[in-house]
Every structure is written in structure tokens, then in C-alpha cells.
Amino acid sequence: MNKEIFSEKAFKLILKGTGIVIFMIPALLLVTLIVQSVPAVRAYGAGFIFRQTWDPVREIYGALPFLAGTLVTSFLALILAFPFSFSVALILSEYLKEGTAAAIVKSAVELLAGIPSVIYGFWGLLVLVPLIRKLELAAGIPPYGVSILAASIILAIMIIPYASTIAREVMSMIPPDIKEAAYSLGGTHWEVQRKVVIPTSYSGIFAGVLLALGRALGETMAVTMVIGNTNKLFSNIFEPGNTMASVIANEFTEAVSDLYLSSLIELGLLLFIVTALINFIGRLIIKRFEVKGAGE
Amino acid sequence: MSIKTEKPLLQLNNLSAYFHDKRILKDVNFSVENSKVVSIMGPSGCGKTTLIRCVNRMHEMSPGGTAAGSILLDGEDLNQLNTITVRRKIGMVFQRPNPFPTMTIYENVIAGYLLNGIKIPKKLSLEIVEDSLSKAALWDEVKDSLNKKGTYLSGGQQQRLCIARALAMNPEILLLDEPTSALDPKATSRIEELVVQLKKNVTILMVTHNIAQAARVSDDTAFMYLGELVEYGSTKEMFTVPKDKRTEEYLTGKFG
Amino acid sequence: MDTVYLKRILEDEKAIRQRILKNNLSGVIITFISSLVVVPLVLILAYLLINGISSINFDFITQLPKPVGEAGGGIVNAIAGSAIIVFLALVLSVPPAVFGGIYLSEYPDSKLSALVRFSNEILQGTPSIVIGIFAWVLVVVPMGHFSAFSGSVALGIMLIPIVLKATEETLKRIPPELREAAASMGVPYHRVILKVVVPTGLKGIVNGILLGATRISGETAPLLFTAFGSPFMNLHAGKPMSSLPLVIYNYATSPYDEWHKLAWGASLLLILAVFGINMLARIFVSKQGGGTQ
């Protein structure tokens, strides 16, 4: 019996220990990134964020082009993806719960979610980029093809499954009796969506947009492959650029000097902090929404 | 089974209802006269809720829900009307109070208009709100807090708000689906009093699993068992001399 | 109250017809917009199939890559590499993730649980490239060179939140009566968990692991500076190793048509593997029956 008591104690200890280890991972990750960024922070301070030049040869590192690239591609992708994600969420949660159309949309979204990022990038590079190049030629703009725009389009396709899943979850948290009440007053499908479902899920939808933004900010491979990898600040979305993630992917293995590496890691640190914050806020809103939705 | 001779307001002819292949209602026939309170009682699973959900055509919205037979309102086949009109004429109150959480008390009362995008002058909307809340015996309690959220009220008040919301559409029939099942005894008796008062304005079809409640408030009672309408007639008669053996067993608490 | 006026506006046939029309129209528009998501899917899959199928042959899955200019060659090293890296990542991360999930379901309200949940959510949202940097600092720098192992560490960290969450969700749904029944027979706590609770939830846990595996087997970014890639056959986890996503990236961004062809083939193979594991997870869930749902 003593042996059993011992193993029981040991088991509980292991459980708790694992919990502590898992809790430590992001903390350790943060500390690691901070420590590794110290040389860059020391060298540039806050100027790192505002400087336009990124020149490894002269050892000048400014992150502005990448910050701009990340923000512009992510927001553009969000805007492009929004109507689709929103419609998909409406279709799957409210409009056509059954039927072939809903089933097709549902599997399409699931399959899109399963395609690896690198394949999106490859497809974008060989199919989308030439298409954009043709359009640019026709419009008389420099035909880069690889561009902020290409990256945004690929990103948009990639975040649709994620955003629509969250929006759908949020909408399905709305107590069904509220919808029933609306129908019992003679509301049509559309009116019930417009005036009950959507207003009730505003905060949840906002959280979904935030979480999708978090996804888009950190997405690396697909963006790297179609954005053109230029360290100059772009002046319009048809020009090539770079995002924080894509410049890390591109230059990390080539970074020879400590300052170069440290600057790249500082980009990673910024990315980590921003995505962690966005995710935290998004999850918090959804949790509140969950509580509000379930217990009247 | 007594069929009334007077021209009925609502008439169900061979109504059957299904969930996918499962038959929930079996050829139900009955009619309801104007300005009556009719209770529908029976053990759970007997199809009483499905019955009233057929009346305002909510049943067909549930996954796999279909119905056969016809329902006439003022001699008009409900299947020939659009659901907007059907539900305007036939209001519904649910088991649990369900005011719209994003709307104020005021907005909740005129929710039918807001939802349906029907524009009404401010003066009229004020009238509708006061009139409906008064009919629902809630006006005095909430007249000073019309701009508070509907969910701020107590459960019993919320349920009366839901009744006001249904009355605001000026319905001919009000369906109550076990309206007191989520309420405490005090709130329950207020709703029951209200139901009796309301029959001046609107005909009421109330589902209940509470035999005493049916006895207290209704003029006529329908007893349902396993999807069939077993007995239908004056409440007084049914509770004193039930015609069917199953009704008697139910009333004496043998099952359900 | 002007009930006549009220009746008129409530029964305005024209308004009702308009509302029905608006409803139908919005339904059509929403269905149309959402069905457009099928377009990129079909396009991507069609390109993969058309271009990929002609590159896949026996040599492709048995040979090593050939230098530029030489026709033929395969990606056997990347296939083996992917399998090794993913397997190693599973070995590294599944035990802590499952134990973490058990902890959360057993002590749902403890302070540590709140912290673990918080960390797990942060981890889940962390960009994979950042996790790559972490693994690089943690493993590559001390070892002094790139290695498959460091890649597995990166992928393993990404896997933890997925498996942990699946475990917690599954175990939470197991009725407490079950463990009470076992405990009432005098079975010690750890045996109740390991012999009763976990086996009951096995279906959900395995499903989570398989879905996690599909996620990481397509990951590229964290491998760029950990596993790094290699043109040779390498089965040693301590050395740089190729993987399918890395090969796709390297070949896709090369200027050679010959390599693009290989990249299409590798992409098709990767997607078949990802969808295949996914299917396996579904079959597993539906076959096992009973259990927790």
C-alpha cells in the first residue's frame, strides 16, 4: 500500500511539474528573445523602429520597411478576407445548416485550412504572381509581380478558414431562444441575422478579426515567397517589400555579424509581443462573450 | 370529442408533424374559438410543444421538421400565407424568458417592428409600448426604466416583457409554450392572472405540463398523449368527468 | 391607439413582398460570396495535381536529388527527413502535452492551471518563425551546427498547445461518475487517471495528436535555421536534414524549371500526406465509437 501512496504522490508531482514546464516555455521564449536583442537595442534604441534603412553591409538596421510591410499586408488581407469569412460564417452557422452548398463550403474551408503555408507560397509564386505581372503590364505600372499585393491576396486566402471558423463559433454561442424569439415575431432569415445575430456577436466578431490579424502578422513562408524581399520602403502596394517575418526567414542564416543577428531577433521579439498581445485580447473578448452568451 | 358549432378562429385539420422520419403528431384535429384560453397538456414528449410550433410554422424551421395537414386561421390556410404574416397574426412566448440582450426594455417591446424594419412614428411607438406593457401588467413596474436593458429585469418581469413584445404585434392568437416553467411560484401566479385577463384581447393557446395550471386558467383543455389528441373539451368537464381512460389516468397522476 | 393604421402598416402586402425579396436576395448573395472560397481551393489543388502527378514516379520517391542541369532525381532524403523530424517532434512533445492536459482537466481551477492555459494560448498564437528563433538559440547555438533535432524541438513546441488543448477538452467531457466509480473501488488516483480516464478519452487525444501532426508536417519557417536542409541522405538527427516543406521552398524559389517540377511533385506528396493523416484521424474518431462525444 505504501508503494501505491508513493506512486500516487509521484504522479501528482509529475502532473504539476509538467504544468510548470509548459507555463515556463513562453516565459523562457520571451527572455531568450530579449537577451538576444540586447545588442541591437543598445545600438539603436527606439530608433530601430523608425529608421528606414536596412543595410547589413554598413551595419545599419532600421525596421520601418518591415513594420510597414507587416501592417499593410495584414490589414489588406483582413479587408480582403472579411466579406468571405463573414459570409462563410453566416452560411454555416445560420443560413444553410444542411444541404449540398453548405457541405461544399464547409469542406472547402476545412481543406484550405489544411494546405501548408509553403504550398500557398509556391502556388502564389507560380500562378498568382505572373497574373499580377500581366495586369501590371497592362496597366502600365512596373511589372514586379511579386509585391505587397500578392502577399496580401495569399494571406487573405489563408486566413479565411481561420476567421470564418471563429466567427461561426461566436455566432453559434448566441442562445437559440433569442433567435427563436426573433423568428416568432415574423423576422425573415436576413432580418434575424442583421438585427439579432450580428449585433449580439459584435464583440465576438471583433475578437475574431483580432485573432485573424494575429495569424496574418506572423505568417511567414507564403508571404516570403511572393512579397519580393526588398528592404526598401515600398511606396505602393504593387511594389515588392518585406515583412518582419519574411525578412527573418530570408536573412537569418546569412546573418554573419552579431548585430545583424540581434537586429533580426529584435524583429522576432517585436512580432512575438504584438501577436501575444493581440491573441490575449482576442481570447479575452471571446471568453467574456462566451460567459455572456451562455448565462443570461 | 366535442366539436364546437360556432365558427372557430383556429382550426387544425389532420395535422401531422415529423422530425425526419419520426412522427411526432398523428392526425390532430381541433378548433379554437375566439377569446378563449385553451390549455394543451400531456406528459413530456407527447408533442404538445410541436403542436403549437406548427401553428406559427416554427416547426418547419427545426432541422428535419416537416408537417402535413392544414391549419386554418379565420378560414385561411396558413400554408398559403408567408411566415411573416403568419407570425404577425400568431405571437409566441417561450419556456424561458428571452428578451433581446442588446435592446432596451422599450426596444424589446417594439422589437417586432425594429426587426422587421417597419417604420412607425415616435408617437405611435410610444403608444404601442405603453399599451402592450399595460396589457402585460408590466407598465407600472418599468415605466421609469424603459431605457434599461431588458435583461436587467427579474425572470418573471422578463417573461411579461416577452408577452408585451408579442402583444405589440397585435396578434389574433398568442401561443404560450410552458411560460412559467422557468419561474418561481410567485412569478408564476402573476403570469397566470395575466393570462386570464388577456383573453379579452387575444385568444390564447398554452402548453403546460402543470395540471393545476390548466385547471386554473383555461376555458378549454386538450389532452395529448404520444402524438395523439386524446380528449378535448371544456376544462371543467374534463377535470370532473374525463371521457377517456388515459385522461383520467393522467389527471390522477398515474403517469407523466 | 390607431389600430386601423397599425393594421395597415403591419399588413402592407408590398412591404412584406419587399422584405421577402430582400431576404431571398441576401441569401443568394451570401451563398454566392461564400461559395467563392471554393475557387482558390480548386485552383490550388488543380495545379498541384496537374503539375505534381507527372513528377511523381518511382525515381522521385527513391532517388536523391541530382545537381542542377541533370534530369531526374528524387527527394527520398526529404521524405525520410520529414518523417524523422515529425516523429521526433511527436516523441518530444506528446508526453508533456498530454500530461499538461491531464493536469488542466484534473485541477481546472488551480492558479497554475490558469497560468498554463494562458501560456498555452500565447504559445498557440506565436508565429512559427519566432519559435524557430527560439529553437535556434536553445539548440543550434549550443550544438554549434544545424540539426534535425533542433527542427524537432521547434515543431514540438508548436505541437504542445494543440495536443494539450485536445487532451484537456476530451478529458473534461468524461463524466465524473466514471472516475468516482473507479475511486470508490479503492483504485489509487494515478491508476484511475491512467487506466480509466485517459483510455476513455484516448480517441480524442489521438485525434488531437494526428491533427497536430498534420499542422507541423507542413511547417517550413521554423526549419529554415534549425533542420536547415541537406542534399544528402541523412538519418542522423544530430545533423542537418532535409524535409518536404524545405525542399518545396528551396526548389520553388529557384530559377530552374526542372526544380519547379520537383517542387510540384513534393507539394503534391506533402498535401497527400497532410490530407491522408487528416482522413486517418477522422476514420479513427468515427470507428472507435462510444467514448466521449
Side-chain angles (χ1 to χ4, degrees):
Chain A
M1 207 57 203
N2 254 342
K3 201 179 136 230
E4 288 290 15
I5 291 173
F6 174 76
S7 15
E8 194 169 317
K9 273 201 175 138
F11 180 71
K12 283 186 180 169
L13 219 61
I14 291 172
L15 281 187
K16 201 164 179 190
T18 321
I20 293 172
V21 168
I22 289 170
F23 160 64
M24 293 298 285
I25 295 175
L28 191 63
L29 174 54
L30 182 66
V31 171
T32 307
L33 292 175
I34 291 175
V35 169
Q36 298 286 322
S37 312
V38 165
V41 176
R42 246 197 218 136
Y44 307 113
F48 182 72
I49 303 175
F50 302 108
R51 194 175 324 201
Q52 271 200 38
T53 325
W54 180 272
D55 188 348
V57 179
R58 288 185 296 149
E59 294 261 71
I60 301 173
Y61 302 104
L64 189 65
F66 314 130
L67 291 176
T70 296
L71 289 179
V72 172
T73 48
S74 299
F75 277 100
L76 204 55
L78 272 189
I79 293 167
L80 289 173
F82 189 81
F84 298 100
S85 315
F86 198 63
S87 304
V88 169
L90 276 176
I91 280 260
L92 296 184
S93 71
E94 299 292 333
Y95 260 80
L96 300 168
K97 280 185 211 160
E98 304 165 89
T100 339
I104 290 174
V105 170
K106 194 164 173 244
S107 350
V109 169
E110 276 167 11
L111 289 174
L112 276 178
I115 297 177
S117 170
V118 69
I119 293 181
Y120 276 108
F122 182 30
W123 181 81
L125 188 62
L126 266 76
V127 181
L128 184 68
V129 165
L131 192 73
I132 293 179
R133 197 174 288 139
K134 258 185 217 154
L135 290 175
E136 284 173 334
L137 262 180
I141 354 177
Y144 292 110
V146 285
S147 56
I148 297 285
L149 177 67
S152 307
I153 294 174
I154 287 289
L155 262 182
I157 300 173
M158 293 178 72
I159 59 176
I160 285 173
Y162 189 64
S164 55
T165 306
I166 296 171
R168 181 180 153 205
E169 270 170 26
V170 164
M171 287 181 193
S172 64
M173 279 180 213
I174 297 172
D177 48 348
I178 289 176
K179 284 181 262 176
E180 294 236 297
Y183 283 116
S184 81
L185 291 167
T188 62
H189 241 28
W190 171 242
E191 286 159 353
V192 175
Q193 304 313 312
R194 261 298 316 280
K195 291 174 184 157
V196 176
V197 173
I198 295 172
T200 316
S201 22
Y202 271 147
S203 64
I205 291 170
F206 175 70
V209 170
L210 267 187
L211 292 176
L213 177 66
R215 258 295 158 86
L217 291 175
E219 178 48 50
T220 312
M221 288 325 288
V223 172
T224 306
M225 293 167 84
V226 300
I227 201 168
N229 309 114
T230 312
N231 294 343
K232 226 179 77 208
L233 190 62
F234 53 92
S235 55
N236 64 60
I237 57 167
F238 300 103
E239 283 182 15
N242 238 337
T243 65
M244 295 156 86
S246 74
V247 74
I248 300 173
N250 250 299
E251 302 187 3
F252 201 84
T253 50
E254 299 162 7
V256 277
S257 80
D258 286 347
L259 197 55
Y260 193 0
L261 259 179
S262 179
S263 300
L264 286 170
I265 295 177
E266 191 182 347
L267 284 177
L269 174 66
L270 289 175
L271 200 54
F272 176 65
I273 293 173
V274 172
T275 48
L277 264 179
I278 285 181
N279 265 296
F280 176 66
I281 298 169
R283 297 270 164 213
L284 200 70
I285 297 174
I286 288 193
K287 242 170 244 158
R288 282 204 171 156
F289 185 83
E290 217 166 21
V291 173
K292 222 175 66 188
E296 329 209 341
Chain B
M1 208 177 301
S2 67
I3 303 287
K4 302 278 156 54
T5 44
E6 202 183 324
K7 188 181 171 239
L9 176 67
L10 184 75
Q11 195 171 347
L12 276 59
N13 297 324
N14 290 324
L15 182 71
S16 290
Y18 305 81
F19 275 121
H20 300 286
D21 297 333
K22 198 166 171 251
R23 198 168 180 195
I24 309 291
L25 290 179
K26 295 168 189 162
D27 292 322
V28 172
N29 288 290
F30 84 85
S31 49
V32 177
E33 284 167 61
N34 212 343
S35 299
K36 284 272 164 70
V37 175
V38 177
S39 286
I40 302 168
M41 63 177 192
S44 44
C46 69
K48 52 193 193 296
T49 293
T50 305
L51 178 79
I52 64 166
R53 287 174 66 91
C54 283
V55 173
N56 72 344
R57 288 182 57 189
M58 296 276 283
H59 174 67
E60 65 198 57
M61 283 176 31
S62 321
T66 50
S70 69
I71 301 173
L72 306 181
L73 178 70
D74 275 333
E76 216 173 352
D77 188 344
L78 292 183
N79 277 318
Q80 304 300 320
L81 296 172
N82 54 60
T83 52
I84 294 177
T85 311
V86 171
R87 292 177 194 154
R88 209 283 294 157
K89 292 184 176 193
I90 303 174
M92 186 165 190
V93 174
F94 297 81
Q95 285 190 18
R96 292 196 315 160
N98 52 3
F100 297 113
T102 51
M103 296 184 186
T104 62
I105 294 173
Y106 186 96
E107 288 166 335
N108 259 293
V109 178
I110 51 163
Y113 298 83
L114 296 175
L115 274 176
N116 302 347
I118 298 172
K119 295 213 171 52
I120 40 173
K122 181 79 187 162
K123 190 170 153 282
L124 182 61
S125 94
L126 274 168
E127 277 180 55
I128 295 173
V129 169
E130 181 172 352
D131 183 63
S132 312
L133 285 172
S134 305
K135 281 182 190 156
L138 191 60
W139 174 249
D140 291 334
E141 289 160 59
V142 302
K143 66 180 175 215
D144 299 320
S145 44
L146 292 175
N147 287 321
K148 288 200 170 129
K149 290 267 183 279
T151 39
Y152 149 91
L153 300 171
S154 74
Q157 287 175 321
Q158 285 190 20
Q159 194 62 307
R160 278 179 278 145
L161 178 62
C162 294
I163 292 176
R165 176 176 70 189
L167 292 175
M169 299 301 280
N170 210 2
E172 292 171 39
I173 293 178
L174 189 59
L175 307 172
L176 305 177
D177 184 8
E178 302 192 20
T180 60
S181 64
L183 302 181
D184 60 62
K186 206 170 153 224
T188 298
S189 70
R190 291 222 54 178
I191 300 274
E192 286 180 4
E193 285 164 29
L194 176 60
V195 168
V196 176
Q197 283 167 26
L198 273 178
K199 67 177 174 182
K200 292 197 298 272
N201 305 303
V202 64
T203 306
I204 292 173
L205 228 65
M206 179 173 76
V207 166
T208 180
H209 58 243
N210 181 337
I211 299 167
Q213 184 170 62
R216 281 193 295 267
V217 303
S218 56
D219 302 300
D220 293 338
T221 296
F223 172 62
M224 293 190 62
Y225 187 60
L226 298 177
E228 277 177 63
L229 180 64
V230 174
E231 188 169 344
Y232 177 46
S234 128
T235 304
K236 216 177 264 166
E237 260 175 60
M238 193 187 290
F239 277 71
T240 44
V241 275
K243 296 192 187 81
D244 196 286
K245 183 119 198 315
R246 288 168 292 181
T247 316
E248 191 184 329
E249 281 174 356
Y250 181 70
L251 290 175
T252 50
K254 293 261 168 59
F255 56 75
Chain C
M1 197 163 60
D2 189 351
T3 46
V4 181
Y5 174 71
L6 203 60
K7 208 167 152 59
R8 209 185 74 218
I9 53 170
L10 279 172
E11 289 175 9
D12 183 353
E13 282 292 328
K14 204 176 134 216
I16 291 176
R17 268 202 308 276
Q18 264 175 9
R19 286 171 56 201
I20 293 174
L21 186 74
K22 208 167 160 188
N23 179 53
N24 295 343
L25 208 65
S26 65
V28 169
I29 292 171
I30 289 171
T31 311
F32 175 72
I33 296 178
S34 48
S35 60
L36 286 180
V37 298
V38 177
V39 174
L41 177 73
V42 169
L43 281 178
I44 292 171
L45 293 185
Y47 272 93
L48 279 182
L49 270 179
I50 293 166
N51 295 301
I53 222 145
S54 58
S55 337
I56 295 183
N57 50 41
F58 188 67
D59 277 0
F60 184 75
I61 52 170
T62 53
Q63 299 281 305
L64 284 171
K66 294 240 169 86
V68 190
E70 275 180 58
I75 55 162
V76 62
N77 57 334
I79 298 172
S82 263
I84 292 171
I85 293 171
V86 170
F87 179 74
L88 200 54
L90 286 170
V91 170
L92 287 172
S93 65
V94 165
V98 169
F99 273 95
I102 296 175
Y103 180 79
L104 288 189
S105 75
E106 286 300 309
Y107 305 93
D109 301 319
S110 81
K111 227 179 221 160
L112 181 59
S113 285
L115 291 173
V116 171
R117 256 182 226 117
F118 173 76
S119 290
N120 207 49
E121 270 163 19
I122 297 289
L123 214 50
Q124 191 153 32
T126 304
S128 57
I129 188 94
V130 173
I131 290 177
I133 297 178
F134 186 44
W136 179 82
V137 177
L138 220 60
V139 187
V140 177
V141 173
M143 278 176 81
H145 54 84
F146 300 116
S147 65
F149 175 69
S150 58
S152 297
V153 168
L155 297 187
I157 294 174
M158 295 185 63
L159 198 64
I160 285 178
I162 304 172
V163 175
L164 189 142
K165 195 125 199 220
T167 307
E168 187 199 358
E169 295 291 322
T170 309
L171 297 188
K172 251 186 2 200
R173 279 195 228 115
I174 293 174
E177 295 83 28
L178 201 67
R179 68 187 77 188
E180 277 163 18
S184 74
M185 293 185 291
V187 181
Y189 177 75
H190 62 284
R191 281 182 200 274
V192 175
I193 303 294
L194 294 176
K195 303 270 155 148
V196 179
V197 176
V198 171
T200 314
L202 196 63
K203 194 171 79 170
I205 298 174
V206 172
N207 187 41
I209 294 172
L210 287 176
L211 290 181
T214 64
R215 272 289 303 280
I216 61 165
S217 49
E219 267 301 335
T220 321
L223 297 183
L224 290 172
F225 31 86
T226 53
F228 191 70
S230 152
F232 313 112
M233 189 62 173
N234 168 34
L235 302 175
H236 190 306
K239 291 186 179 153
M241 194 183 277
S242 187
S243 87
L244 278 174
L246 279 175
V247 156
I248 297 169
Y249 176 59
N250 288 330
Y251 287 175
T253 49
S254 77
Y256 314 111
D257 279 346
E258 201 55 37
W259 279 10
H260 287 167
K261 269 196 73 171
L262 289 177
W264 282 120
S267 299
L268 183 60
L269 220 56
L270 179 59
I271 209 129
L272 286 177
V274 166
F275 288 174
I277 304 175
N278 222 316
M279 203 95 91
L280 205 70
R282 274 166 203 242
I283 292 169
F284 183 73
V285 166
S286 60
K287 259 235 174 100
Q288 282 265 313
T292 54
Q293 263 95 48

